Amino acid sequence: MDRCPIECLPDGSGLLLRVRLSPNAKRDAILGVAADQDGVAWMTASVTAVPEDGRANKALIKLLAKTWKTPKSGIAIVRGQTSRTKTLRLTGDPEELSDLIGTTIRSGTGV
């Protein structure tokens, strides 16, 4: 198992995942992990989409769905729709999702 190196909170139907998104970047990629000023670890990602009309959010969901080979409908932004820091709800088995997130973060998968 490749456990998630950040706090992945179990949520009834899956996990809650904290993501720090950089829109308007040079490439779509999952970059790794970064800690905020309070020491909370966030998965970091970048997308080429601009942060207008939800384009960057849609690009983030598309990036994660493609990387994890999961339907886009299984990923939802539950907090931070207009912020760089977001909380996502991932639908599925929490242990499998945690392993998948851990593997992805450690490999720094970009698309």
Side-chain angles (χ1 to χ4, degrees), residues 41-59:
W42 297 75
M43 182 176 87
T44 58
S46 64
V47 294
T48 58
V50 294
E52 296 172 359
D53 301 321
R55 290 183 189 136
N57 291 340
K58 289 176 187 170

Side-chain angles (χ1 to χ4, degrees), residues 5 11 20 23 34-35 37 40 45 47 57 59 64 73 78 83 98 102 107:
D11 175 61
R20 184 171 193 295
Q37 65 273 13
V40 176
V47 294
N57 291 340
L64 296 176
S73 61
V78 295
S83 172
S98 182
S107 69

Side-chain angles (χ1 to χ4, degrees), residues 2-108:
D2 204 353
R3 303 304 291 170
C4 186
I6 60 176
E7 186 178 25
C8 297
L9 305 169
D11 175 61
S13 61
L15 287 179
L16 294 178
L17 174 67
R18 295 182 182 114
V19 177
R20 184 171 193 295
L21 180 64
S22 296
N24 208 23
K26 292 185 179 189
R27 67 185 183 120
D28 292 345
I30 297 171
L31 304 172
V33 177
D36 64 14
Q37 65 273 13
D38 298 322
V40 176
W42 297 75
M43 182 176 87
T44 58
S46 64
V47 294
T48 58
V50 294
E52 296 172 359
D53 301 321
R55 290 183 189 136
N57 291 340
K58 289 176 187 170
L60 173 63
I61 291 170
K62 182 178 177 182
L63 169 66
L64 296 176
K66 183 175 181 180
T67 301
W68 296 332
K69 296 174 180 61
T70 187
K72 290 186 274 188
S73 61
I75 303 170
I77 298 173
V78 295
R79 202 169 316 139
Q81 281 80 0
T82 60
S83 172
R84 287 179 184 248
T85 55
K86 302 174 183 307
T87 301
L88 280 65
R89 176 176 290 120
L90 309 176
T91 304
D93 178 65
E95 289 206 17
E96 288 179 16
L97 290 168
S98 182
D99 290 343
L100 186 61
I101 293 164
T103 300
T104 303
I105 289 172
R106 285 182 181 84
S107 69

